[in-house]
Amino acid sequence: MLSFIARRLGLLIPTFFGVTLLTFALIRMIPGDPVEVMMGERRVDPIMHAEAMERLGLNKPLYAQYLDYIGQLARGDLGESLRTRESVWSEFLTLFPATVELALAALLFAGSLGLIAGVVAALKRGSLFDHGVMGISLAGYSMPIFWWGLLLIMFFSVGLGWTPVSGRIDLLYDIEPVTGFMLIDSLLSGEEGAFLDALRHLILPAIVLGTIPLAVIARMTRSAMLEVLREDYVRTARAKGLSPARVVFVHGLRNALIPVLTVFGLQVGALLAGAVLTETIFSWPGIGKWLIESIGARDYPVVQNGILLIACLVILVNFVVDILYGLANPRIRHQK
Amino acid sequence: MSLLDIRNLSVRFGDANAVPVVDGLDLSVDKGEVLAIVGESGSGKSVTMLALMGLIDPPGVVSADSLQFDGTDMLRLKGRQRRRIVGKDLAMIFQDPMTALNPSYTVGFQIEEVLRQHLGLKGKAARRRALQLLERVEIPAAESRLDAYPHQLSGGMSQRVAIAMAIAAEPKLLIADEPTTALDVTIQAQIMELLLDLQREQDMGLVLITHDLAVVAETAQRVCVMYAGQAVEVGVVPGLFEAPAHPYTEALLKAIPEHSLGARRLATLPGIVPGRFDRPHGCLLAPRCPYAQSNCQAQRPTLEPQVRGAVRCFYPLNQEVT
C-alpha cells in the first residue's frame, strides 16, 4: 500500500508542472492585458502603459516571466491580485469554503440519488422505472448547466417563490464567518431562521451543479451493477442461502462500486468546472465566480494561481480516489 | 426414502412454447450415495441442479411434480424458508473456482458468512471454525490463508475454499458441478479425492456433474446419462459401463480416447445436440443414432425401468447381459 501511494505521489510532479505551463500560456493568449483593463477602455497613454507593464514585470520575454512565476511558486508565494492588491491565497481562502459547501451538497445529492437510482434500475432492468431513470439521466447529462439553472430559477424562485434567486443567505442576517461554511456558521450564529434560509439558498445551486454528476453516477452504477450481478460469485453468494439484500449490497454493490468510485473522482473535476457556471448564475460568492471576474480583468496572478489551486485540488481528490480505489479493490492494493 | 427425489422436472427459458432445456426429468439420490450426471455440454445437467437450488432467474421457468429434498418440496418453498435449506443442507460448488469467489472479500470472510448465516456462529468462534474447515480441505498454512483474497490463491486452492464454504454447515447433499474441469490434471485427482473423502466422512449425498467418465467409473454408485434435457439412461456402476443399454451411452463410452487405442481416428458421435429449431419429432437422438429405425423418427420413447436402472430407447442394447 505504501509503495502504491508513493508511486501515485510521484505522478503528481509532472502534472503540477503541466498545469502551471498551461495556465501561464492560456491566459496570455487572450487578447488584452491587465494594464489596459485597469486603465479603462479609453486610449491609454503608451508611456504610462509601458511603465505599468515594467512594474508588473510583464515586459520581459515570456520564458523569463514563466521562470519568475515558477521561482515565486517555489517560495510558496502565490502573488497578489492586480485589481485588489489582496494576496491570492487569502482571497482563495475566503471564497473557497463557499465552493466546497456547494460542491459537497451537489455531490451528496448526486451520489446518494445516483447510487439508489442506479441500483434499483439494474435490479428492475427493462422495467418502466429502469427506462425512466435512463431517459431522465440521458436528458440530465445533456443539459447545458446555465440553461438548466435559469430554468429552475424561473420555475421555483420566480414562479413558485419557494427558493431565493441568488446568494448564500438573506441580507437580513449578519453571519460571522467562523468556518466559512454558511450552513454551519448560520447555526453557530444562533440567529433564528438563519440556517433554514442558508439551506434554501443552497438547494437550487446544488441541484443544478449535481445534475450532470447525478446522471453519470446513475448510469455508471446501473451498468456496473448489471455486470456484477451476472458474475459467478453472485451465484455463489445466492447458493450460500444469503438474503437477496445481502447478495445485492454486500456481494454485488461492493464490487460495482469500484468503477463508480473512479467516475465519482472524475466528476469532482467536472464539478469544479460546473461550479464556475453555477456560481455565476446564482451569484454564489465562490472561486468559480472569482475566476470568471479575474479573467475579465486579465488579473494574471489570480487566474494563474487560482486555476493552479483548483488543479491541485482536483489532483488531490483524484489521489484520494486512487487510494480509496486501492482500498475498495484488493487486487489493486496487492499489486507489486 | 431417498434424500433427493425429483419428479418430472422441466426448465424452460421463455414461454410455454419454448423448447425445454430440461424435459421431464426424474432423478433420485439416496443418503450417502454418489450419483454422477454425465452428458454433452448443453444437455441440461447444470440447469437441473440450479433449478433445485432455486437459482434459475426469469425468463427461466421451473416446473415439476415435486422436488423433494429431505422431506421438503423445494418447489413449494418461498424466499426465507428456501434459504434456510440452500447453503446449509443443500450446497453446491461450481465449475470455475477463480470466478466463484468474491474478489473483494477475504477467504475467511466468505466462509464465516455461511457459518453466521446458517449456524449463528460469530466472531472468534466463526473464525476458529473457518480455520478448521480450511485445514479440513487441506489448505497449507491455513491460518494465514484466512486473510488472503481470492486473487492470491491458485485455482486448486480456490476450489478448496469453495468446498470449505459448501461443507461449512455440513450439508446432507453436495452438488459438484464439474468441480475439476477448470483445474490442472494433477490437481483434479486431489480435488476429487478430497470430495470423496468428505462425502464418506460426513455420509453426504454427492451429485457429481462431469464429463470425465473415468472419474465416474471410479467414484459413482449410479449414473444418470442426459441428452438434450432428458435422462436417456440411468444405471449402476459398473453395470452401465460394461453393458450400456442406450446407444448414446455406448457412444459416450466409445468416445473415451483410451478405447480407440490403435485406431487411426477417435470414435465420435456425428452431429450435435439438437437446438430449438431442429428438435426431432421422435427420439431426440434419432438423427445421430446408428441404430435408429423408422419408428424412432416418429415416436418419442419414454424412460422405461430395466433390471438395474432405466433406459429411454425402443431398441435398448446389451439386453442379453442383464
Side-chain angles (χ1 to χ4, degrees):
Chain A
M1 193 70 199
L2 275 179
S3 76
F4 171 77
I5 293 175
R7 263 181 296 129
R8 291 287 178 213
L9 279 174
L11 277 176
L12 295 188
I13 297 162
T15 319
F16 182 81
F17 276 102
V19 170
T20 58
L21 200 57
L22 260 179
T23 50
F24 178 86
L26 283 176
I27 185 70
R28 280 168 176 74
M29 282 181 188
I30 311 176
D33 61 59
V35 177
E36 264 176 35
V37 179
M38 270 191 288
M39 294 185 169
E41 296 290 310
R42 284 152 300 164
R43 208 145 48 98
V44 180
D45 177 7
I47 298 170
M48 279 177 68
H49 185 267
E51 272 175 5
M53 290 293 273
E54 175 150 9
R55 197 173 62 245
L56 297 171
L58 295 174
N59 57 342
K60 295 189 196 170
L62 279 181
Y63 73 89
Q65 287 186 36
Y66 182 69
L67 287 180
D68 280 353
Y69 171 45
I70 293 293
Q72 197 189 13
L73 283 181
R75 290 192 302 274
D77 179 8
L78 293 178
E80 56 185 34
S81 161
L82 299 180
R83 278 185 307 162
T84 63
R85 298 278 150 209
E86 285 263 350
S87 102
V88 172
W89 179 239
S90 77
E91 283 199 348
F92 178 82
L93 279 189
T94 320
L95 298 171
F96 186 54
T99 300
V100 173
E101 187 174 42
L102 177 60
L104 283 181
L107 267 188
L108 190 73
F109 163 73
S112 52
L113 211 60
L115 274 180
I116 294 171
V119 169
V120 176
L123 290 178
K124 299 189 178 291
R125 179 156 69 134
S127 69
L128 201 64
F129 181 85
D130 181 23
H131 290 304
V133 166
M134 286 305 99
I136 292 170
S137 75
L138 186 63
Y141 187 64
S142 328
M143 196 78 79
I145 286 189
F146 60 91
W147 182 77
W148 176 229
L150 291 175
L151 203 70
L152 287 184
I153 291 177
M154 291 278 285
F155 190 71
F156 288 106
S157 308
V158 179
L160 295 169
W162 288 359
T163 57
V165 177
S166 66
R168 294 180 79 187
I169 194 150
D170 201 283
L171 293 172
L172 280 171
Y173 301 102
D174 186 21
I175 305 294
E176 175 96 16
V178 184
T179 59
F181 294 97
M182 193 55 86
L183 286 181
I184 300 174
D185 288 348
S186 62
L187 273 181
L188 291 178
S189 76
E191 282 195 58
E192 207 177 318
F195 176 75
L196 279 182
D197 190 66
L199 195 62
R200 288 191 334 142
H201 276 83
L202 181 60
I203 287 176
L204 269 199
I207 289 177
V208 169
L209 185 55
T211 297
I212 289 179
L214 168 65
V216 174
I217 289 170
R219 294 183 78 86
M220 193 67 212
T221 306
R222 174 182 179 272
S223 67
M225 264 320 263
L226 282 178
E227 201 165 302
V228 164
L229 289 176
R230 276 197 298 267
E231 293 283 351
D232 284 355
Y233 54 77
V234 169
R235 188 182 57 190
T236 307
R238 292 173 65 199
K240 285 175 173 180
L242 303 175
S243 69
R246 196 172 164 89
V247 171
V248 168
F249 291 105
V250 176
H251 287 272
L253 188 60
R254 167 68 195 262
N255 286 289
L257 272 184
I258 295 170
V260 173
L261 203 59
T262 314
V263 170
F264 208 80
L266 291 174
Q267 285 306 309
V268 173
L271 210 59
L272 288 169
V276 172
L277 287 170
T278 311
E279 288 179 4
T280 306
I281 299 167
F282 288 94
S283 301
W284 190 267
I287 49 173
K289 191 158 158 283
W290 176 55
L291 278 180
I292 286 285
E293 284 162 4
S294 304
I295 292 172
R298 304 292 184 277
D299 196 338
Y300 288 179
V302 171
V303 176
Q304 277 171 203
N305 293 318
I307 291 179
L308 184 64
L309 285 170
I310 292 181
C312 288
L313 194 71
V314 173
I315 293 172
L316 189 75
V317 169
N318 279 312
F319 177 63
V320 171
V321 169
D322 272 346
I323 291 176
L324 286 179
Y325 195 80
L327 288 178
N329 188 346
R331 281 165 293 188
I332 298 273
R333 202 186 321 154
H334 289 106
Q335 257 173 22
K336 285 288 167 310
Chain B
M1 201 182 73
S2 5
L3 178 64
L4 175 69
D5 195 13
I6 296 177
R7 290 273 157 248
N8 195 23
L9 171 72
S10 292
V11 181
R12 287 167 207 274
F13 287 87
D15 58 14
N17 298 322
V19 170
V21 176
V22 177
D23 188 3
L25 185 82
D26 294 341
L27 196 68
S28 69
V29 182
D30 282 334
K31 191 167 176 289
E33 185 186 34
V34 181
L35 171 84
I37 304 182
V38 297
E40 278 167 90
S41 301
S43 57
K45 310 182 297 285
S46 302
V47 174
T48 302
M49 289 302 134
L50 289 175
L52 174 64
M53 296 286 287
L55 295 179
I56 302 284
D57 290 320
V61 181
V62 178
S63 64
D65 293 347
S66 77
L67 285 180
Q68 288 283 337
F69 170 73
D70 197 24
T72 330
D73 191 349
M74 298 297 287
L75 202 59
R76 313 270 174 266
L77 290 186
K78 290 274 173 280
R80 191 182 295 265
Q81 292 169 307
R82 175 192 283 277
R83 292 198 299 274
R84 250 181 236 141
I85 296 175
V86 168
K88 181 172 190 287
D89 295 333
L90 180 60
M92 186 159 177
I93 56 177
F94 299 97
Q95 183 172 349
D96 189 352
M98 302 297 269
T99 58
L101 301 180
N102 193 322
S104 289
Y105 296 104
T106 62
V107 164
F109 176 91
Q110 296 188 54
I111 297 176
E112 285 164 33
E113 200 175 28
V114 183
L115 299 170
R116 191 171 47 230
Q117 176 81 15
H118 294 295
L119 306 178
L121 287 182
K122 290 194 187 80
K124 283 221 175 79
R127 197 174 161 87
R128 233 184 350 258
R129 179 78 184 117
L131 179 61
Q132 283 173 2
L133 284 163
L134 281 191
E135 282 166 352
R136 180 61 200 88
V137 296
E138 294 156 18
I139 286 185
E143 179 98 55
S144 64
R145 302 286 183 187
L146 274 180
D147 296 317
Y149 285 91
H151 71 275
Q152 297 169 308
L153 305 178
S154 66
M157 285 292 180
S158 300
Q159 194 60 296
R160 285 174 195 274
V161 171
I163 293 172
M165 258 159 50
I167 61 162
E170 302 193 340
K172 294 173 181 162
L173 181 66
L174 179 64
I175 300 161
D177 186 357
E178 302 191 32
T180 59
T181 307
L183 302 177
D184 288 345
V185 179
T186 46
I187 310 293
Q188 288 184 356
Q190 297 175 15
I191 295 286
M192 274 319 301
E193 201 178 317
L194 172 65
L195 276 175
L196 290 167
D197 271 358
L198 289 166
Q199 183 267 330
R200 278 190 290 267
E201 189 179 291
Q202 306 190 359
D203 199 27
M204 344 179 249
L206 177 64
V207 174
L208 189 64
I209 299 174
T210 182
H211 290 293
D212 192 337
L213 291 169
V215 166
V216 176
E218 285 166 23
T219 57
Q221 280 127 45
R222 278 195 311 132
V223 190
C224 170
V225 182
M226 285 187 73
Y227 182 76
Q230 296 181 329
V232 293
E233 181 168 2
V234 180
V236 292
V237 177
L240 180 131
F241 283 87
E242 285 160 2
H246 197 280
Y248 181 65
T249 314
E250 186 195 57
L252 274 187
L253 291 171
K254 271 191 187 160
I256 297 174
E258 284 80 358
H259 291 183
S260 297
L261 283 180
R264 290 199 50 199
R265 301 180 73 96
L266 297 177
T268 55
L269 181 64
I272 54 164
V273 182
R276 57 186 295 195
F277 298 115
D278 56 356
R279 205 166 168 88
H281 200 68
C283 172
L284 295 179
L285 187 67
R288 304 173 71 184
C289 180
Y291 308 104
Q293 311 280 326
S294 59
N295 64 330
C296 295
Q297 318 280 358
Q299 282 174 291
R300 202 168 279 184
T302 54
L303 193 66
E304 296 295 337
Q306 279 198 307
V307 183
R308 276 177 299 178
V311 65
R312 189 189 290 273
C313 184
F314 292 124
Y315 307 101
L317 312 167
N318 296 312
Q319 290 308 293
E320 64 282 3
V321 182
T322 51

